[in-house]
Amino acid sequence: MNGSSASGTSPDLPEPGALLGRVGAVGFAWDLATDAMVWGDAVADVLPHLAPEARASGAAYARQIEPTPGVRSDAVLNSPASDGGAGVRYAIEYGIRTASSTELLWVEEAGCWFAGRDGRPARVEGFVRVISERHARDEQLRRLASHDPLTGELNRSHLLAAIAETLEEAARFHTSAAFLLLGIDDLDHVNDAFGFDVADEVIIEVARRIRVRLRGGDVLARASGNKFGVVLKNCTAEEMAVAAERFLSAIRNEVIPTSSGPVAVTASIGAIAAPRYARTADDVVTRAQESLAIAKRRRGSYHAWRPNAEREAQRRVNIRVTDEIISALNDRRLVVAYEPIADAKERKVAFHECLVRMRQDDGTLMLAPDIVPVAERLGLIRLVDQRVLELVIADLAAAPQARLSLNISPDTTTDPEWWARIEALLLAHPGVADRLTVEITETAAIQDVDDVRGFVMRLKKFGARIAIDDFGAGNTSFRNLRRLGVDLVKIDGAFVQNIVHSADDRAFVQTLLDLARRLGIKTVAEWVQDEESAALLRDWGCDYLQGRLIGLAAAERPWQQSASGTSAIGPEP
């Protein structure tokens, strides 16, 4: 396309090429000295709602542009580039507001500007192409990247950005703000009763009820499945409590209509005042989550975060122990100790329970009660259980005379990685399973009898035995024991240690032993500390004894001691 010089005459415009027409574009020439614009013949087809006078000059055309009318001038007149003779390329996008359309027509403009004798832009040659569909797709992608697709609210990443921005503003202007983390109570019950579609309807309606009660400038986002984050700017602690109650009452006071009928739900809120109690977005969210966990204990309540020395001390301990556990796993410093379990009549060691120990840098051993609860609380127990499993299987494979028992956490019974690992190890070492006993706590057994039964059956197919540990501390019925098909019951030591002096404990233990014997289940009494207790248990029909009287856990492999005559391995349980 050739234009005229900057002499002030109207530019000449050749017929637009066939290619422009095929892609829905129209060419133009713009004489900057006169501000006149001349368009190709296809302009009526490409920009049908743009009146001729609205496109006759650069100024008139600019008045149709939204949201930035000066975008063309910035690209040409304010360009920092210089024309070396071949022109300066540019490409921009903008919307055009037409009189007969309620929506913007989005276009792409690309071309070159050419300098006059003074080096300043003198004329522009280019084309305009409609890109409304592409722009809509791009907008949708941008929205999906920043908004939750179910509720249309901001997503978690943009929530964190909003928190950080609010903290910065509060610090700069010395104001206060608040963050509320709202969780819908028992949403899993709605899923189970009505299905996930209805649960989604509940989530959408809860978001709507929160949104309509926000002030201008407040921010709402979906933080996770059943949780919403609310950022309240210029908000005091007292106003934070009022706002929380406003949201909670809006949710609990009216049932939520759904496609399956009305559903009643409540919500709980954990809140924190910032930047008073948190100066980073991560701290804000973490402490709000802590407060929400406390609020959910009372279901439908509100709890504001406050400093707590004991909680902070426990957090430091958690961080330290977490680092130690991870380090011990990486450095192979998790080991096992072997506690003997003896036949009640002959007092020969029948098998050993393997107890996890963590060797520290100074050589001392951290015991299971110091490791397992923290590992369970922090989600590390499956890694610990996998490592102990590897150690126990290695011992069994190396010593054909060894018979060992290992404890696993309740969560491990449903851990697919643990299952994959034990199956691979047992297949790699045929015969090992016959000398392995896996102990699960009574608490795990009563959580879901059907799931635990499947766990038991899978292990028994390999030849392993199953024991219920700490029996009596929970509520497992003997009917469930028979259904589970366990081989061994270990009676909780809390009922055993005082049987000599407590008639209640004696009656309880005797009843357990009698019922187990009728069901054909072997029994182990834990925490046996004296001969008098051992004699009672033997006379009552207890099969095995474990505790201080029989022997403490030791790091040395007992079958190696057996070779020197210091220990004995008895018959399998």
Side-chain angles (χ1 to χ4, degrees):
M1 176 185 309
N2 296 317
S4 69
S5 66
S7 61
T9 60
S10 298
D12 296 323
L13 183 67
E15 290 296 322
L19 180 60
L20 286 180
R22 292 194 187 102
V23 298
V26 59
F28 70 87
W30 179 17
D31 188 328
L32 296 177
T34 64
D35 198 31
M37 292 188 69
V38 177
W39 296 83
D41 292 340
V43 65
D45 296 326
V46 176
L47 304 173
H49 303 298
L50 197 63
E53 60 271 18
R55 61 176 187 258
S57 67
Y61 185 62
R63 287 193 290 271
Q64 317 305 314
I65 295 176
E66 293 185 17
T68 51
V71 63
R72 301 181 82 233
S73 296
D74 290 340
V76 177
L77 299 177
N78 300 326
S79 172
S82 57
D83 181 12
V88 177
R89 295 177 181 271
Y90 74 96
I92 53 177
E93 294 181 8
Y94 50 83
I96 298 175
R97 177 71 67 187
T98 61
S100 58
S101 176
T102 59
E103 296 183 359
L104 289 178
L105 180 72
W106 284 90
V107 301
E108 173 188 39
E109 177 182 323
C112 284
W113 62 263
F114 300 90
R117 294 176 180 176
D118 59 358
R120 300 281 300 163
R123 76 180 190 279
V124 180
E125 297 177 359
F127 69 89
V128 167
R129 179 165 64 99
V130 176
I131 58 166
S132 290
E133 289 187 7
R134 191 190 79 188
H135 185 270
R137 289 194 301 269
D138 292 346
E139 279 295 305
Q140 184 178 19
L141 290 174
R142 281 193 288 269
R143 183 170 180 79
L144 288 173
S146 61
H147 288 71
D148 168 51
L150 178 65
T151 63
E153 306 299 341
L154 291 175
N155 58 24
R156 182 180 176 85
S157 61
H158 282 69
L159 171 63
L160 293 174
I163 295 172
E165 179 183 346
T166 301
L167 289 172
E168 183 180 344
E169 291 178 0
R172 185 187 312 129
F173 299 110
H174 304 287
T175 59
S176 58
F179 176 68
L180 277 59
L181 188 63
L182 182 147
I184 304 172
D185 297 324
D186 301 325
L187 189 64
D188 54 332
H189 294 173
V190 178
N191 282 329
D192 294 340
F194 302 102
F196 288 95
D197 290 344
V198 172
D200 284 348
E201 292 179 46
V202 169
I203 292 171
I204 293 169
E205 175 60 16
V206 167
R208 188 196 67 80
R209 294 186 184 186
I210 299 172
R211 188 189 315 115
V212 298
R213 287 164 175 82
L214 294 177
R215 306 168 304 170
D218 293 339
V219 176
L220 171 64
R222 190 179 181 194
S224 64
N226 70 329
K227 297 185 181 74
F228 292 93
V230 181
V231 180
L232 303 177
K233 300 182 178 182
N234 298 314
C235 180
T236 65
E238 293 76 14
E239 292 168 335
M240 177 175 73
V242 172
E245 178 55 32
R246 185 168 69 246
F247 298 139
L248 293 181
S249 61
I251 295 167
R252 68 169 175 258
N253 289 352
E254 294 184 25
V255 296
I256 295 177
T258 72
S259 56
S260 294
V263 175
V265 298
T266 61
S268 301
I269 289 179
I272 183 167
R276 181 179 182 183
Y277 293 131
R279 297 186 178 277
T280 68
D282 287 341
D283 284 346
V284 166
V285 174
T286 298
R287 292 171 183 177
Q289 287 174 335
E290 292 175 4
S291 296
L292 178 60
I294 295 172
K296 278 188 170 291
R297 295 172 194 167
R298 300 191 303 274
R299 196 173 180 275
S301 67
Y302 158 78
H303 182 82
W305 193 92
R306 293 289 187 275
N308 183 298
E310 182 179 346
R311 181 180 58 210
E312 293 303 313
Q314 183 61 54
R315 179 181 288 108
R316 288 192 292 271
V317 170
N318 291 347
I319 293 172
R320 176 179 59 80
V321 175
T322 299
D323 290 343
E324 290 178 355
I325 291 174
I326 295 297
S327 176
L329 286 165
N330 291 336
D331 299 340
R332 300 285 176 171
R333 289 188 286 107
L334 280 187
V335 297
V336 294
Y338 308 88
E339 183 171 350
I341 299 174
D343 180 272
K345 294 179 180 178
E346 300 181 5
R347 296 290 181 88
K348 288 185 178 180
V349 176
F351 59 107
H352 289 81
E353 180 179 353
C354 297
L355 304 173
V356 65
R357 299 287 188 263
M358 186 167 72
R359 196 180 306 281
Q360 301 184 90
D361 292 336
D362 60 2
T364 60
L365 292 177
M366 185 178 289
L367 304 183
D370 299 318
I371 303 170
V372 174
V374 177
E376 288 180 333
R377 189 164 61 248
L378 302 178
L380 298 172
I381 192 63
R382 65 182 187 86
L383 300 177
V384 173
D385 280 350
Q386 285 202 34
R387 179 57 182 154
V388 172
L389 171 67
E390 293 170 355
L391 294 171
V392 170
I393 298 297
D395 281 340
L396 289 169
Q401 70 273 39
R403 301 186 184 281
L404 302 176
S405 172
L406 70 93
N407 283 284
I408 62 171
S409 167
D411 290 342
T412 300
T413 61
T414 56
D415 180 11
E417 291 186 19
W418 190 87
W419 267 113
R421 189 61 181 148
I422 193 171
E423 289 181 347
L425 290 170
L426 293 179
L427 290 172
H429 302 286
V432 160
D434 297 336
R435 295 178 282 118
L436 172 67
T437 299
V438 176
E439 299 183 20
I440 58 177
T441 65
E442 185 183 8
T443 303
I446 65 177
Q447 284 177 348
D448 192 318
V449 174
D450 290 333
D451 282 351
V452 174
R453 187 172 186 274
F455 171 90
V456 170
M457 292 301 102
R458 288 176 71 181
L459 275 177
K460 290 181 71 109
K461 284 181 181 178
F462 281 102
R465 292 168 177 79
I466 303 296
I468 298 293
D469 194 17
D470 298 331
F471 190 78
N475 298 297
T476 304
S477 68
F478 275 90
R479 177 184 177 184
N480 282 339
L481 280 184
R482 183 168 58 184
R483 185 179 172 194
L484 289 173
V486 299
D487 305 283
L488 198 67
V489 165
K490 302 183 73 176
I491 301 174
D492 191 337
F495 301 105
V496 174
Q497 63 179 345
N498 201 35
I499 57 173
V500 173
H501 306 289
S502 171
D504 290 342
D505 287 346
R506 286 196 299 273
F508 184 78
V509 172
Q510 282 181 285
T511 301
L512 292 183
L513 292 171
D514 182 59
L515 289 171
R517 183 170 58 254
R518 292 175 184 275
L519 292 174
I521 300 174
K522 298 291 187 179
T523 51
V524 177
E526 300 176 315
W527 297 10
V528 180
Q529 303 184 57
D530 55 71
E531 285 290 350
E532 192 173 356
S533 297
L536 289 173
L537 291 162
R538 178 200 61 209
D539 294 342
W540 295 340
C542 184
D543 296 292
Y544 302 101
L545 307 178
Q546 181 179 6
R548 184 180 298 275
L549 178 66
I550 305 304
L552 300 178
E556 293 78 15
R557 289 176 170 80
W559 48 90
Q560 294 174 345
Q561 295 178 358
S562 176
S564 61
T566 59
S567 180
I569 299 293
E572 65 182 80

